[in-house]
Amino acid sequence: GRYLGCNRAMEILTGKSEQELINLTPKDIYSEETAKFILDTDRDTLVSNTGVTAEQWIRYPNNKLSCFEIRKVPYYDRINQRHCIMGFGRDITERKRYQEVIEKNNRDKSTLMATISHELRTPLNGIIGLSRILLEGELTPQQRDYLKTINISAISLGHIFSDIIDLEKIDSRRIELFRSEVEFSQIISNISHFANLMAEQKKIRFHVQHDDDLPDFIYVDNARLSQILWNLVSNAVKFTPAGGNIYLTVARKDEDHFTFSIRDTGIGIQKSEQRKIFAMFYQSENSQGKKAQGSGIGLAISKRIAKLMGGDLTVESELNQGATFTLVIQAKTVAAKKSVTINTHALKVLLVEDIEVNIVVAKA
Ligand code: ADP
């Protein structure tokens, strides 16, 4: 526990000459906290009898605080007797500070992205809502086509924003689920509406089938669930050539687990790539070394949300044989509700809303 010798840098750090230092203990030189850390790492080195690496902030006599990367190793003499511990410290303060600045910049950037994405949502909801209303009216076939494109483009934008917002939350582990009662048929019809429009544009056929024993209502975070399904459907469309097929199958796995599987007849995924596609920012390249269009975050985020929902997202595929993505979620079913008859003519609704476009959508 006593110093046997040191170099010049150590003399500067401790403010003592080597002669003064010899035979002192860390407690004689450093603050209590610093000394304790030094003694702890000494002990780790002795007990494990191997090299130990640690980072430690130490104050110079002139008060300058520096961060050291410290490596301690047991030192043996010629007849193989452990003689002492040898410690090396490298001043990494500058690197540390750069790292902090870079990390902060990164955080600021994601926060900004999330804020902007959030702000964009209101006008976007106006476009989604109003184009859907217009689609129910009388239109020429060409107008209908354009309007469908407007509608799914806006829905897609919304989901891309959701992915971006989640990116920031996943980094800081703040992702939360907001479960509420959702009608099962509504979930299926929403994703089918979107999938049909998407597929139709690329001359792909979309098919949906579901078990008969699905409950009427489940407790689920509907926005998150549709975010995952949207990611899967848009990938399926993206990676399936015209003339192909996409199948959505919804099934009850057990009392409170449900599976949504999306199968396509597209380009498929090589076995060696299958684990990688769930990593953040991963995009496989085609045979010409060109990356697919997209952000490479959809599957990574979807898998994390699926796990948060008490389930998982997995893939089965062969190259050129299409791909099947299976989403399992855990969701409680809502006890059967008594049906109430509502006289819609007598219904009065009070809407409190400060955003003009939302009022227009709600009224329509
Ligand atoms: P992106 O937004 O780039 O599509 P994803 O995380 O959704 O990012 O997907 C990552 C990669 O996984 C894609 O670039 C693609 O290589 C592969 N992939 C995803 N879905 C499919 C699919 N249905 N068929 C073939 N490859 C797919």
Side-chain angles (χ1 to χ4, degrees):
R2 291 177 188 280
Y3 289 103
L4 298 175
C6 73
N7 69 355
R8 177 79 191 123
M10 181 78 175
E11 289 185 336
I12 296 170
L13 175 65
T14 57
K16 294 193 180 347
S17 70
E18 184 177 18
Q19 284 317 310
E20 288 171 315
L21 198 76
I22 287 174
N23 270 328
L24 293 184
T25 70
K27 282 191 176 139
D28 301 324
I29 302 170
Y30 298 110
S31 70
E32 196 174 325
E33 199 189 338
T34 307
K36 182 175 177 318
F37 190 86
I38 291 174
L39 290 168
D40 284 350
T41 45
D42 279 359
R43 201 183 43 236
D44 290 348
T45 314
L46 289 175
V47 170
S48 65
N49 203 22
T50 55
V52 167
T53 310
E55 266 180 30
Q56 189 178 15
W57 289 88
I58 300 178
R59 209 174 271 287
Y60 278 91
N62 69 2
N63 236 358
K64 182 177 158 244
L65 198 58
S66 288
C67 183
F68 289 89
E69 186 180 79
I70 294 173
R71 172 104 186 129
K72 293 184 175 178
V73 289
Y75 180 69
Y76 287 87
D77 61 18
R78 282 206 196 97
I79 51 168
N80 242 357
Q81 287 229 330
R82 190 159 68 192
H83 190 58
C84 61
I85 295 174
M86 187 106 92
F88 308 87
R90 179 145 54 125
D91 188 335
I92 56 164
T93 318
E94 204 147 320
R95 188 170 92 196
K96 262 311 231 219
R97 300 234 192 272
Y98 275 128
Q99 232 167 22
E100 274 162 22
V101 170
I102 288 168
E103 274 162 20
K104 181 170 182 306
N105 282 351
N106 257 342
R107 275 197 308 273
D108 288 353
K109 223 177 287 168
S110 330
T111 313
L112 179 72
M113 290 280 268
T115 316
I116 293 175
S117 305
H118 193 77
E119 282 303 306
L120 289 171
R121 208 158 264 286
T122 306
L124 204 58
N125 283 340
I127 303 175
I128 297 173
L130 289 174
S131 53
R132 194 158 181 178
I133 291 164
L134 283 178
L135 273 173
E136 276 157 29
E138 261 180 49
L139 300 161
T140 67
Q142 194 184 38
Q143 283 172 331
R144 183 170 300 280
D145 267 0
Y146 289 168
L147 210 52
K148 278 180 183 172
T149 308
I150 293 177
N151 183 250
I152 57 168
S153 306
I155 295 177
S156 297
L157 260 182
H159 282 102
I160 293 170
F161 293 152
S162 302
D163 282 354
I164 294 176
I165 294 176
D166 286 345
L167 198 61
E168 193 258 339
K169 287 189 184 152
I170 276 175
D171 274 357
S172 50
R173 310 201 178 284
R174 276 194 292 116
I175 215 160
E176 270 180 273
L177 293 180
F178 296 99
R179 290 189 174 88
S180 63
E181 286 178 21
V182 185
E183 200 171 353
F184 218 119
S185 60
Q186 197 64 40
I187 299 173
I188 298 175
S189 85
N190 269 340
I191 188 67
S192 303
H193 163 79
F194 174 78
N196 264 315
L197 291 183
M198 281 276 283
E200 184 181 289
Q201 293 206 321
K202 217 179 145 183
K203 305 259 178 309
I204 294 170
R205 275 182 306 274
F206 173 75
H207 317 261
V208 53
Q209 65 187 69
H210 59 81
D211 280 2
D212 294 331
D213 61 346
L214 297 179
D216 291 340
F217 287 84
I218 54 171
Y219 272 110
V220 72
D221 186 329
N222 196 20
R224 296 259 180 245
L225 175 59
S226 69
Q227 191 181 341
I228 303 178
L229 295 174
W230 171 83
N231 270 316
L232 299 180
V233 167
S234 27
N235 279 343
V237 173
K238 190 159 46 170
F239 298 106
T240 303
N245 289 285
I246 296 174
Y247 305 85
L248 166 67
T249 312
V250 187
R252 186 170 196 160
K253 198 166 170 232
D254 57 40
E255 185 54 30
D256 59 352
H257 285 86
F258 301 90
T259 59
F260 298 79
S261 83
I262 290 172
R263 179 162 74 85
D264 63 56
T265 57
I267 61 170
I269 307 158
Q270 232 167 305
K271 284 266 175 298
S272 60
E273 299 266 311
Q274 286 176 12
R275 217 159 43 93
K276 299 183 204 157
I277 58 170
F278 293 103
M280 207 60 99
F281 303 117
Y282 183 81
Q283 289 176 293
S284 59
E285 290 171 2
N286 67 10
S287 48
Q288 285 99 47
K290 200 164 161 280
K291 287 212 190 303
Q293 240 180 29
S295 54
I297 59 178
L299 288 180
I301 285 179
S302 297
K303 189 167 179 102
R304 291 199 204 177
I305 298 174
K307 290 209 161 147
L308 209 64
M309 287 181 159
D312 203 355
L313 175 62
T314 50
V315 66
E316 271 172 66
S317 180
E318 299 273 348
L319 198 58
N320 300 321
Q321 302 288 316
T324 306
F325 282 84
T326 305
L327 166 72
V328 178
I329 61 162
Q330 191 216 13
K332 285 207 177 68
T333 54
V334 180
K337 290 185 177 178
K338 271 194 227 122
S339 67
V340 271
T341 36
I342 296 172
N343 178 356
T344 46
H345 293 294
L347 205 62
K348 285 196 171 130
V349 176
L350 173 65
L351 173 72
V352 182
E353 173 61 69
D354 60 343
I355 294 167
E356 188 62 34
V357 63
N358 289 347
I359 298 175
V360 179
V361 174
K363 272 185 168 172

